[in-house]
């Protein structure tokens, strides 16, 4: 009985986390998983690796995303969402407006109030949105429409 009970609890816990919404547009992110204790975000701009091609409008797999995209070191920002009176889980965190916290480069040498709207025809990787290794690969198309690809590193 115990042999089946522990995996069942783990599956229910992970499924409960996945039901919470993470919405990303070219202008903002809403993460229902954020709380007073867990409220960070990391955004990496990505570029297609040399000698690779990737079609963001196709049915991409984890292998396609991880094997064909790499960090563009000119755009990697981290932020800790400070409390501003709004509920963390429903708060819109804007990229092109002040949010009452600073965005930092991963080197920690640069800080800014805004990072700007996500660029068209560009790939991004969002992380630190959950407490386990889970990444959202985002492609912003020419009309600023966001295409989302979820990568759960714990299952890869």
């Amino acid at each position: 009985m115990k042999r089946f009970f522990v995996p069942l609890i783990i599956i229910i816990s992970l499924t409960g986390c996945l039901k919470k919404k993470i919405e990303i547009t070219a202008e903002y992110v809403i993460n229902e998983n954020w709380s007073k204790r867990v409220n960070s975000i990391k955004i990496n701009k990505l570029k297609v690796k040399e000698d690779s091609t990737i079609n963001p409008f196709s049915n991409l797999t984890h292998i396609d995303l991880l094997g064909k995209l790499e960090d563009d070191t000119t755009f990697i920002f981290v932020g800790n969402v400070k409390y501003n009176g709004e509920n963390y889980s429903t708060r819109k965190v804007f990229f092109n407006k002040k949010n009452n916290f600073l965005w930092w480069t991963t080197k920690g040498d640069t800080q800014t109030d805004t990072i700007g709207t996500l660029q068209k025809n560009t790939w991004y990787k969002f992380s630190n949105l959950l407490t386990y290794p889970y990444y959202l690969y985002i492609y912003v198309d020419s009309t600023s429409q966001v295409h989302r690809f979820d990568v759960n590193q714990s299952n890869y």
Side-chain angles (χ1 to χ4, degrees), residues 82-124:
K82 287 187 179 178
Y83 184 71
N84 69 349
E86 293 180 64
N87 186 332
Y88 280 103
S89 65
T90 57
R91 180 178 176 189
K92 283 185 182 178
V93 171
F94 290 92
F95 308 129
N96 58 347
K97 297 179 186 175
K98 292 183 180 181
N99 292 290
N100 194 32
F101 68 88
L102 294 173
W103 295 94
W104 292 83
T105 61
T106 54
K107 295 178 185 175
D109 58 354
T110 304
Q111 57 186 356
T112 183
D113 289 326
T114 65
I115 59 173
T117 302
L118 301 182
Q119 295 177 347
K120 294 177 181 179
N121 301 313
T122 304
W123 284 95
Y124 295 91

Side-chain angles (χ1 to χ4, degrees), residues 31-68:
N31 182 3
E32 290 184 355
N33 299 286
W34 279 331
S35 67
K36 186 176 181 179
R37 283 191 10 238
V38 180
N39 55 30
S40 66
I41 182 172
K42 181 178 179 185
I43 304 172
N44 299 51
K45 186 176 182 181
L46 301 172
K47 58 185 178 183
V48 178
K49 289 182 179 177
E50 196 171 314
D51 298 329
S52 290
T53 59
I54 189 166
N55 180 357
F57 306 107
S58 64
N59 192 12
L60 297 171
T61 67
H62 294 79
I63 295 169
D64 293 327
L65 295 167
L66 297 172
K68 295 181 178 183

